[in-house]
């Protein structure tokens, strides 16, 4: 056991001093899908003190192609992802404390979970949650690492509160075309590449080697053999409501949350985004045609699959028929819309 971390300690930027720091640090990972599961495994093997995992979903057969902590038994039993992850992670390293929360993390839960956290890892599937994480990180001065992947494309960016722009500053700089793994697919190497960038940055922050932290956004497309880094220093906005001179943290306000309502007597959940967004219904039809029967007119698009019917309007509002479970409805919305 004494030489468990010996190869990591031989790496000079970490060393024994850095390993000691890792054993003092706590990481919050929001999402236990492809990115979250792999990041949690890497940090568990690295020997951090505590990992807090949050996810609302259970293991599905479609996850097994890229979500490396999970097994066929987990999918067969529909085990919540964070429970399955905790079971596996404790087999890997019992010295690491794993806290598993089966929940749809909202503002109230986020404010509770941030206590004692040294770093937040983004492994989510939607910008609503990412912007909440961003404001949470700015408010409590906790570093966080943004990451996303779809198809063969990936992106990562490290945000240090008080240094450089935050995610809110960069909203008009980051591609957000609405593609999701459920609409255009994903290959496992794209996941692992993002995880490599995220966890490398995580180790730098956790051992407090802030000089080594990358200040640029990195993007890549493995299939197209493309990679790019973009400097973001000039993107910082002094009037940014999240990190500017007078921060208001707008995404920690209730009105910023994705709004859900169970429609009386209709076994239907209505979902409204916190801001108006123009949906290209024709493009969305092309993406969703493989998910079931799709119908579209000038005002809305309808997808019928299994026992669920998903109706999307041009302003981003949606009706999810066949359920009264708001968490399930939000999950379906984010799978299709991103």
């Amino acid at each position: 056991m004494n030489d468990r971390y010996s190869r990591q300690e031989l790496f000079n930027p970490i060393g024994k001093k850095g390993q000691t720091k890792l054993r003092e640090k706590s990481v919050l990972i929001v999402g236990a899908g492809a990115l979250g599961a792999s990041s949690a495994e890497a940090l568990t093997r690295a020997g951090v003190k505590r990992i807090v995992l949050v996810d609302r979903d259970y293991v599905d057969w479609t996850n097994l192609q890229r979500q490396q902590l999970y097994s066929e038994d987990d999918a067969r039993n529909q085990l919540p992802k964070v429970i399955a992850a905790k079971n596996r992670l404790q087999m890997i390293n019992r010295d690491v404390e794993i806290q598993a929360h089966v929940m749809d993390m909202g503002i109230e839960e986020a404010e509770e979970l941030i206590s004692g956290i040294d770093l937040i890892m983004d492994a989510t599937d939607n910008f609503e949650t990412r912007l909440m994480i961003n404001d949470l990180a700015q408010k409590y001065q906790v570093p966080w690492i943004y990451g996303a992947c779809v198809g063969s494309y990936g992106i990562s960016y490290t945000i240090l509160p008080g240094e450089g722009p935050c995610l809110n500053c960069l909203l008009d700089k980051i591609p957000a075309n609405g593609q999701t793994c459920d609409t255009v697919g994903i290959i496992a190497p794209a996941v692992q590449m993002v995880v490599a960038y995220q966890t490398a940055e995580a180790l730098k922050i956790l051992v407090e080697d802030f000089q080594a932290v990358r200040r640029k956004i990195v993007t890549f497309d493995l299939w197209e053999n493309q990679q790019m880094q973009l400097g973001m220093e000039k993107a910082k906005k002094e009037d940014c409501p999240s990190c500017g001179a007078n921060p208001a943290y707008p995404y920690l306000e209730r009105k910023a949350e994705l709004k859900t309502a169970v429609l009386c007597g209709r076994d239907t959940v209505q979902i409204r985004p916190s801001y108006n967004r123009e949906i290209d219904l024709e493009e969305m039809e092309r993406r969703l045609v493989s998910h079931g029967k799709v119908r579209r007119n000038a005002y809305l698009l309808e997808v019928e699959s299994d026992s669920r019917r998903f109706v999307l309007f041009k302003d981003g509002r949606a009706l999810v028929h066949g359920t009264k479970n708001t968490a399930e409805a939000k999950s379906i919305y984010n799978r299709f819309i991103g």
Side-chain angles (χ1 to χ4, degrees):
M1 289 295 291
N2 291 335
D3 62 354
R4 177 171 196 145
Y5 306 110
S6 62
R7 301 304 185 269
Q8 191 162 274
E9 291 172 350
L10 284 170
F11 180 61
N12 192 55
I14 294 180
K16 290 186 178 294
K17 184 177 180 180
Q19 192 63 47
T20 298
K21 290 182 181 297
L22 286 175
R23 291 297 302 146
E24 299 169 346
K25 300 298 174 65
S26 296
V27 181
L28 170 62
I29 301 179
V30 185
L35 294 180
S38 296
S39 294
E41 179 177 349
L43 294 178
T44 296
R45 292 185 184 277
V48 301
K49 174 186 176 183
R50 180 172 64 116
I51 294 175
V52 181
L53 281 171
V54 184
D55 194 281
R56 63 191 173 200
D57 206 356
Y58 58 85
V59 181
D60 183 79
W61 289 96
T62 61
N63 301 147
L64 302 183
Q65 164 254 353
R66 66 197 181 282
Q67 298 182 18
Q68 65 186 43
L69 283 182
Y70 308 128
S71 69
E72 291 186 353
D73 282 344
D74 296 329
R76 190 174 295 111
N77 296 323
Q78 294 186 312
L79 205 62
K81 287 183 179 180
V82 292
I83 303 302
K86 179 178 180 178
N87 292 343
R88 174 63 178 148
L89 293 172
Q90 289 187 324
M91 293 174 64
I92 291 171
N93 191 345
R94 292 195 177 274
D95 288 340
V96 177
E97 179 185 353
I98 308 295
Q99 296 181 358
H101 297 273
V102 185
M103 66 165 64
D104 181 19
M105 190 184 79
I107 294 167
E108 183 176 344
E109 293 84 1
E111 294 262 17
E112 293 175 358
L113 290 172
I114 193 65
S115 177
I117 294 297
D118 299 289
L119 173 68
I120 306 172
M121 301 283 285
D122 166 35
T124 65
D125 60 3
N126 66 91
F127 268 90
E128 175 207 2
T129 305
R130 290 186 179 111
L131 287 166
M132 178 177 64
I133 291 172
N134 183 70
D135 274 9
L136 190 73
Q138 297 300 322
K139 180 178 179 180
Y140 293 97
Q141 295 292 289
V142 176
W144 76 283
I145 305 173
Y146 161 63
C149 51
V150 66
S152 57
Y153 171 85
I155 184 170
S156 179
Y157 181 55
T158 303
I159 298 174
L160 302 175
E163 295 185 30
C166 74
L167 185 65
N168 202 357
C169 294
L170 301 179
L171 279 182
D172 58 344
K173 307 290 185 183
I174 294 176
N177 55 17
Q179 293 182 338
T180 72
C181 298
D182 286 86
T183 59
V184 300
I186 187 169
I187 58 172
V191 173
Q192 295 307 317
M193 183 67 81
V194 174
V195 169
Y197 281 119
Q198 284 190 293
T199 53
E201 294 302 295
L203 290 175
K204 296 174 189 177
I205 291 170
L206 295 173
V207 303
E208 300 175 15
D209 187 3
F210 292 100
Q211 291 297 321
V213 172
R214 187 184 61 247
R215 265 65 173 183
K216 296 181 178 181
I217 282 181
V218 60
T219 69
F220 63 83
D221 190 317
L222 294 177
W223 210 262
E224 299 297 330
N225 303 310
Q226 297 173 351
Q227 182 166 338
M228 180 171 56
Q229 293 193 54
L230 299 172
M232 292 288 111
E233 295 84 357
K234 295 181 180 179
K236 183 171 177 59
K237 300 175 181 177
E238 291 303 317
D239 61 348
C240 175
S242 297
C243 72
N246 298 293
Y249 313 118
Y251 296 99
L252 293 180
E253 297 177 3
R254 291 288 180 185
K255 64 182 182 181
E257 291 188 297
L258 198 66
K259 297 172 177 62
T260 60
V262 179
L263 302 189
C264 182
R266 292 185 57 189
D267 198 26
T268 296
V269 176
Q270 175 181 263
I271 297 179
R272 286 193 298 114
S274 58
Y275 57 94
N276 289 331
R277 55 189 302 183
E278 184 72 18
I279 301 292
D280 185 335
L281 296 179
E282 184 177 356
E283 173 62 21
M284 192 60 64
E285 180 181 21
R286 286 195 289 269
R287 294 180 190 167
L288 299 181
V289 69
S290 62
H291 288 267
K293 186 176 181 181
V294 179
R295 291 181 289 270
R296 175 176 61 88
N297 60 31
Y299 310 99
L300 59 85
L301 176 144
E302 178 186 68
V303 183
E304 193 166 353
S305 177
D306 299 326
S307 60
R308 299 287 181 267
R309 191 158 56 92
F310 179 78
V311 179
L312 177 66
F313 297 86
K314 291 184 70 173
D315 63 356
R317 183 172 60 90
L319 298 175
V320 182
H321 298 281
T323 183
K324 294 181 180 177
N325 186 316
T326 57
E328 180 186 11
K330 287 173 68 175
S331 179
I332 292 171
Y333 185 92
N334 287 324
R335 279 173 49 205
F336 288 159
I337 308 304

